[in-house]
Amino acid sequence: MLHLIHEYIDKLKKVDEQLEKLMSDRKVIETELSALTTAIKDQSETFGKIISFSHDCAFIFDRNSRFTYASISGASLLNLKQLDIIGRTWRELRLPREVMIPFEAHLQTVFLLGTALSKVTKVAFPQGIRYLEYFLNPVYGKNNAVVAAFCIIRDVTQNKEAETIQQQLTQAYINEAQRLQQLIDIAPMAILTVDGEGFITAINQAAIQFLPQLSDRFKIGGRDRISLPLEESGPDDELITRALNGQETKACLCQRHDKYFLVSVHSIYSNDRESILGAVAFYQDVTEVEKLRAEIARMDRLNLVGEMAAGVAHEIRNPMTVVMGYIQLLSSKAEAEGKEKYSVIMQELNRINEIVSDFLTLAKNKSVEKISQNLNGIIGGVLPLIQTDALEHGIKVAVDLEDSLPKLLLNEKEIKQLLLNLTRNAIEVMNSNGVLTIQTRHTKTEVILSVADTGKGIDPDHFPKIFDPFFTTKEDGTGLGLAICQSIVERHSGRIEVKSKKGMGTLFQISFPQHPVSKLSTTQRM
């Protein structure tokens, strides 16, 4: 019995020791828990102070969209006190519906999906419109359930205004660039830019039209940048090279295929003008100016011939008339052998007389009397001569004259000479079995005479000079035939056009203007 009592006492002592140890552990745990609680409280107070004094507005909402926390700046934003906000909904606080209804929808999304959201909204305040950006973040509780939503609201009005100004400036820049591009595109000159390596980076619409050899390859690469080096060496390429090297450039005239351009090139410098970024070239189409200059030069030569003809033709003819009279007299008294020689002399004198007559035809101030008549009638009068000449050379003549052709103010003699000159030239350049075509047509304002052959065509190198006086490719030609034709056409206020293809033939097309029927006749000094 005593033994059992001692065992029981020992057990009680052990229990007391264990109890003392538990109490000691409890004190340690309570001390650590107290320190942790104090730390959490301090951190919470620090975090609360940071939020309270932050320029950003902070709010916490529960699942019923009630405010459970509002920072000082947040309360100031709503123009309320903190205690007036906590525990209430936005409807109870009578906040603007147009802002809060979308906000509440985003808030419920955070609770349902557990995802963060951000949004910028425009809010009307008494002091004016403000742009606010809010961030909604979920706050998780037990079992990872969203128990609250933490909201930060930031005033981004200045950023928004700066962004708006930037967008306006960007749009203004884009509009200005578009207007500039439109101006460049509608400019009546070709414009192209190259980079520092001489690659073309942009061309305008005129360049696409004027310089097809460039534009075809440019279309493949688009309008941003293409690898198109300047392959053809010409005055314009040399100007671009000089501009890229920073050397002085002067405008020059260059030819691209059948067009003439006045080219000027300018260097494109960086803002500090220390480096050359590229060059811009301007191509002004002066083809018509060059044609006009060539025409003026031709007219000057023609006028010179005309003035010379008017000055010396009569002086030549007077002694020629005397010579021809004596030759005829001597020929009548000469024997058969002598008559043959006199006949050759008369033929050559007649040829001189024809050349003098051609000179007079070129005279600028020649008087021309015109009467109202039908062009087909004149063609019919000279057609037998043309057919006889063509038959001797084995040439076929095709005549296509339009009926009811309106009358024109014409000088019959000159129109006949025009036809004979054109048809004789055509017959001489064709081989046997060639075809000479004479055709008339009319439009509302013009009557058109066409003379076509199936000869060898005109050499492209000779094309610009065919109407020049004394230019000829014939061994026995005077070079006055086509010059006379052009003078006759000009005295009739018409125009003459030539189309020719090597080995295919040539077409001369003469357009005469129609005149009122009341003008029966007129005399002009051209």
Side-chain angles (χ1 to χ4, degrees):
M1 185 70 178
L2 183 61
H3 176 71
L4 292 173
I5 292 172
H6 285 295
E7 287 181 359
Y8 182 72
I9 291 172
D10 290 337
K11 289 180 179 181
L12 288 176
K13 287 181 179 180
K14 290 180 180 180
V15 170
D16 287 340
E17 290 175 359
Q18 292 177 355
L19 185 60
E20 287 180 1
K21 185 178 180 181
L22 289 173
M23 292 298 293
S24 176
D25 293 340
R26 179 181 178 182
K27 288 181 180 180
V28 173
I29 292 172
E30 287 179 350
T31 302
E32 292 177 353
L33 181 61
S34 177
L36 181 61
T37 302
T38 301
I40 292 174
K41 183 178 179 181
D42 292 340
Q43 289 181 359
S44 298
E45 290 178 356
T46 302
F47 180 71
K49 289 179 181 179
I50 292 174
I51 293 178
S52 296
F53 292 106
S54 172
H55 292 292
D56 294 338
C57 305
F59 300 95
I60 298 178
F61 296 89
D62 62 15
R63 299 186 67 89
N64 297 320
S65 301
R66 292 184 179 276
F67 291 88
T68 60
Y69 174 81
S71 66
I72 297 175
S73 57
S76 177
L77 175 68
L78 302 179
N79 199 24
L80 295 170
K81 296 180 180 180
Q82 288 177 285
L83 295 178
D84 295 335
I85 297 173
I86 296 173
R88 297 185 179 182
T89 64
W90 65 268
R91 289 181 176 83
E92 294 172 341
L93 296 175
R94 297 182 178 181
L95 298 179
R97 295 176 58 84
E98 64 274 11
V99 175
M100 295 307 297
I101 288 178
F103 176 83
E104 187 174 29
H106 291 149
L107 185 63
Q108 294 305 318
T109 300
V110 171
F111 279 107
L112 288 174
L113 302 180
T115 57
L117 291 176
S118 64
K119 184 73 174 178
V120 176
T121 184
K122 182 170 67 173
V123 183
F125 287 94
Q127 61 271 28
I129 299 294
R130 309 294 292 177
Y131 289 91
L132 303 179
E133 183 178 19
Y134 56 82
F135 301 87
L136 289 170
N137 294 278
V139 178
Y140 293 95
K142 295 180 180 180
N143 301 323
N144 289 326
V146 179
V147 296
F150 181 65
C151 176
I152 292 291
I153 299 179
R154 183 172 298 158
D155 189 345
V156 293
T157 302
Q158 291 183 349
N159 296 343
K160 192 68 177 179
E161 289 176 349
E163 180 181 344
T164 301
I165 293 174
Q166 183 179 6
Q167 290 176 350
Q168 291 174 349
L169 291 175
T170 302
Q171 188 61 45
Y173 171 79
I174 294 174
N175 294 340
E176 193 65 29
Q178 290 176 346
R179 283 195 292 268
L180 180 60
Q181 184 62 47
Q182 291 175 5
L183 288 174
I184 292 175
D185 282 339
I186 65 176
M189 64 175 64
I191 302 174
L192 63 86
T193 59
V194 299
D195 61 15
E197 298 178 358
F199 287 83
I200 297 177
T201 56
I203 59 176
N204 68 341
Q205 292 297 326
I208 293 175
Q209 178 184 355
F210 294 159
L211 308 173
Q213 71 275 18
L214 298 181
S215 63
D216 289 344
R217 286 174 283 179
F218 186 83
K219 292 174 185 175
I220 297 174
R223 293 185 65 89
D224 293 327
R225 175 185 169 85
I226 58 172
S227 297
L228 180 60
L230 301 172
E231 297 173 351
E232 300 180 5
S233 178
D236 53 336
D237 299 334
E238 294 177 5
L239 283 181
I240 292 175
T241 302
R242 290 178 62 86
L244 293 177
N245 292 330
Q247 299 174 349
E248 183 181 358
T249 60
K250 294 182 178 180
C252 72
L253 184 69
C254 76
Q255 183 179 4
R256 290 280 186 179
H257 297 285
D258 59 342
K259 289 186 175 292
Y260 291 89
F261 295 96
L262 183 63
V263 184
S264 59
V265 183
H266 305 276
S267 304
I268 301 176
Y269 291 91
S270 59
N271 291 334
D272 54 10
R273 297 189 67 82
E274 292 185 358
S275 61
I276 297 176
L277 304 179
V280 57
F282 300 91
Y283 290 73
Q284 185 174 359
D285 188 356
V286 293
T287 304
E288 294 301 321
V289 176
E290 285 301 306
K291 287 182 178 179
L292 181 60
R293 184 180 298 172
E295 180 65 15
I296 291 174
R298 189 193 69 82
M299 291 301 297
D300 287 342
R301 292 193 297 271
L302 196 60
N303 291 339
L304 179 61
V305 172
E307 291 173 3
M308 182 178 65
V312 303
H314 294 293
E315 300 299 327
I316 294 175
R317 273 186 168 173
N318 289 336
M320 272 184 58
T321 303
V322 175
V323 172
M324 291 175 71
Y326 277 105
I327 293 297
Q328 290 174 346
L329 179 62
L330 293 173
S331 176
S332 64
K333 297 179 180 181
E335 297 179 357
E337 183 179 354
K339 285 185 177 182
E340 184 178 349
K341 294 179 179 179
Y342 285 129
S343 177
V344 173
I345 294 173
M346 285 298 297
Q347 289 177 3
E348 294 303 316
L349 288 174
N350 285 330
R351 176 171 169 78
I352 294 174
N353 191 46
E354 289 177 0
I355 294 174
V356 172
S357 298
D358 288 344
F359 271 111
L360 288 174
T361 303
L362 291 174
K364 181 180 178 181
N365 59 348
K366 180 180 179 181
S367 297
V368 177
E369 183 177 358
K370 304 173 189 175
I371 62 173
S372 180
Q373 52 189 313
N374 193 293
L375 178 61
N376 287 346
I378 300 176
I379 296 174
V382 78
L383 187 58
L385 294 175
I386 297 173
Q387 290 174 330
T388 300
D389 194 8
L391 185 61
E392 292 177 357
H393 291 79
I395 304 298
K396 298 178 182 179
V397 179
V399 181
D400 181 14
L401 305 182
E402 182 179 317
D403 296 333
S404 304
L405 207 65
K407 290 186 176 183
L408 300 172
L409 290 174
L410 302 173
N411 180 282
E412 182 176 353
K413 183 179 178 181
E414 288 208 329
I415 297 302
K416 285 183 177 180
Q417 185 176 5
L418 170 68
L419 279 166
L420 289 173
N421 284 359
L422 291 177
T423 55
R424 284 172 181 169
N425 281 348
I427 291 170
E428 289 175 359
V429 298
M430 285 189 286
N431 298 323
S432 59
N433 296 324
V435 178
L436 170 65
T437 303
I438 302 173
Q439 183 186 73
T440 57
R441 291 288 185 268
H442 83 282
T443 65
K444 292 182 179 180
T445 59
E446 294 179 325
V447 174
I448 302 171
L449 167 64
S450 300
V451 177
D453 63 62
T454 56
K456 59 183 179 181
I458 301 173
D459 191 317
D461 293 336
H462 298 160
F463 216 89
K465 300 178 284 186
I466 59 175
F467 292 109
D468 290 353
F470 308 113
F471 174 78
T472 181
T473 57
K474 304 174 186 177
E475 293 182 0
D476 57 347
T478 62
L480 295 176
L482 288 180
I484 291 171
C485 290
Q486 188 170 51
S487 296
I488 292 172
V489 172
E490 289 175 351
R491 279 195 289 273
H492 285 78
S493 302
R495 69 178 188 278
I496 183 169
E497 297 174 323
V498 187
K499 297 178 182 178
S500 183
K501 190 172 182 181
K502 194 73 173 176
M504 298 294 291
T506 303
L507 168 66
F508 283 86
Q509 197 170 66
I510 299 94
S511 301
F512 298 101
Q514 295 189 38
H515 296 283
V517 180
S518 59
K519 291 187 176 180
L520 297 180
S521 65
T522 182
T523 301
Q524 294 182 354
R525 184 174 295 273
M526 302 295 291

